[in-house]
């Protein structure tokens, strides 16, 4: 895959739709080979490739940095957890999986309540361009939960007087991610994994037709 021709918007869209259930890459692979890129175009290509391939490792890195920075502020740690959950809801696969598992659990205690949490059925109109499918969580649009958890996390950070400290820790984790993604050389396994996930995505799109 030629990452130079992939726009940043495409990478963000791919990260939103891709499966995040895959385990993180091994420690040895994550810290195996480093080299500075030879040009600015090579740096952009490497950055986009590594951000996509090591996405789970980077997500765990952000959580670890925030956890270490807020270890003396339990309320701020809970706020960081709510922020991580709200960001995870932005991924289609995680939101759909969480919704299905949560409704299945509620059904064990109240089938009637579980039925109300089902997403509404959207009619399919022939001859009209297909709009992006709205993702629902517990019967509500996904953005409701994202805004709710983000608001709760901000309240917890203000209450613990650790908002600036959280911002500092978050920026530190982002800097570490950018540095690693810039100097980590893409290996053959990363390229083959990218092609495999592209094939799965195309096959899934064909199966939905």
């Amino acid at each position: 895959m030629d990452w130079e021709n992939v726009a940043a918007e495409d990478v963000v869209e791919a990260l939103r739709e891709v499966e995040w259930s895959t385990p993180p890459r091994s420690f040895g692979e994550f810290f195996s080979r480093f080299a500075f890129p030879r040009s600015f175009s090579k740096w952009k290509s490497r950055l986009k490739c590594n951000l996509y391939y090591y996405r789970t490792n980077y997500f765990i890195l952000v959580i670890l940095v925030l956890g270490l920075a807020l270890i003396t502020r339990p309320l701020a740690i809970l706020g960081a957890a709510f922020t991580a959950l709200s960001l995870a809801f932005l991924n289609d696969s995680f939101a759909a999986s969480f919704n299905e598992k949560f409704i299945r659990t509620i059904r064990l205690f109240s089938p009637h309540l579980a039925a109300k949490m089902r997403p509404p059925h959207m009619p399919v109109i022939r001859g009209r361009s297909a709009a992006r499918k709205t993702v629902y969580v517990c019967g509500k649009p996904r953005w409701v939960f994202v805004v709710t958890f983000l608001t709760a996390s901000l309240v917890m950070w203000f209450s613990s007087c650790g908002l600036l400290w959280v911002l500092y820790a978050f920026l530190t984790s982002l800097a570490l991610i950018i540095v690693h993604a810039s100097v980590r050389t893409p290996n053959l396994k990363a390229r083959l994994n990218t092609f495999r996930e592209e094939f799965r995505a195309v096959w899934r799109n064909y199966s939905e037709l």
Side-chain angles (χ1 to χ4, degrees), residues 8-26:
E9 295 80 5
D10 297 331
V11 177
V12 174
E13 188 68 18
L15 291 175
R16 193 178 69 86
E17 296 180 353
V18 75
E19 294 281 348
W20 283 69
S21 58
T22 56
R25 312 301 171 184
S26 64

Side-chain angles (χ1 to χ4, degrees), residues 7 26 43 72 74 85 98-99 146 151 156 159 171 182 193 203 209:
S26 64
W43 172 78
T72 59
L85 185 60
F98 177 89
N99 177 68
V146 174
T151 304
M156 292 179 183
S159 301
L171 292 178
S182 300
N193 182 77
W203 181 262
L209 295 177

Side-chain angles (χ1 to χ4, degrees), residues 57-78:
N57 298 72
Y58 293 148
F59 185 78
I60 295 176
L61 178 61
V62 172
I63 299 301
L64 289 178
V65 173
L66 289 176
L68 292 175
L70 305 175
I71 194 170
T72 59
R73 295 178 171 89
L75 194 59
I77 292 179
L78 185 59

Side-chain angles (χ1 to χ4, degrees), residues 100-168:
E100 190 65 28
K101 292 180 180 179
F102 186 81
I103 292 178
R104 190 182 300 118
T105 303
I106 294 298
R107 190 187 296 121
L108 299 176
F109 304 96
S110 177
H112 181 69
L113 180 60
K116 290 184 177 180
M117 292 182 177
R118 286 292 179 183
H121 295 283
M122 303 300 293
V124 179
I125 303 177
R126 296 184 178 274
R128 182 179 298 180
S129 58
R132 178 173 298 279
K133 183 180 179 181
T134 304
V135 179
Y136 287 86
V137 178
C138 300
K140 301 295 182 181
R142 170 176 51 190
W143 64 266
V144 174
F145 285 85
V146 174
V147 173
T148 301
F149 281 108
L150 283 179
T151 304
S153 63
L154 288 176
V155 171
M156 292 179 183
W157 289 340
F158 274 114
S159 301
S160 62
C161 300
L163 185 59
L164 292 179
W165 188 247
V166 169
L167 181 61
Y168 170 76

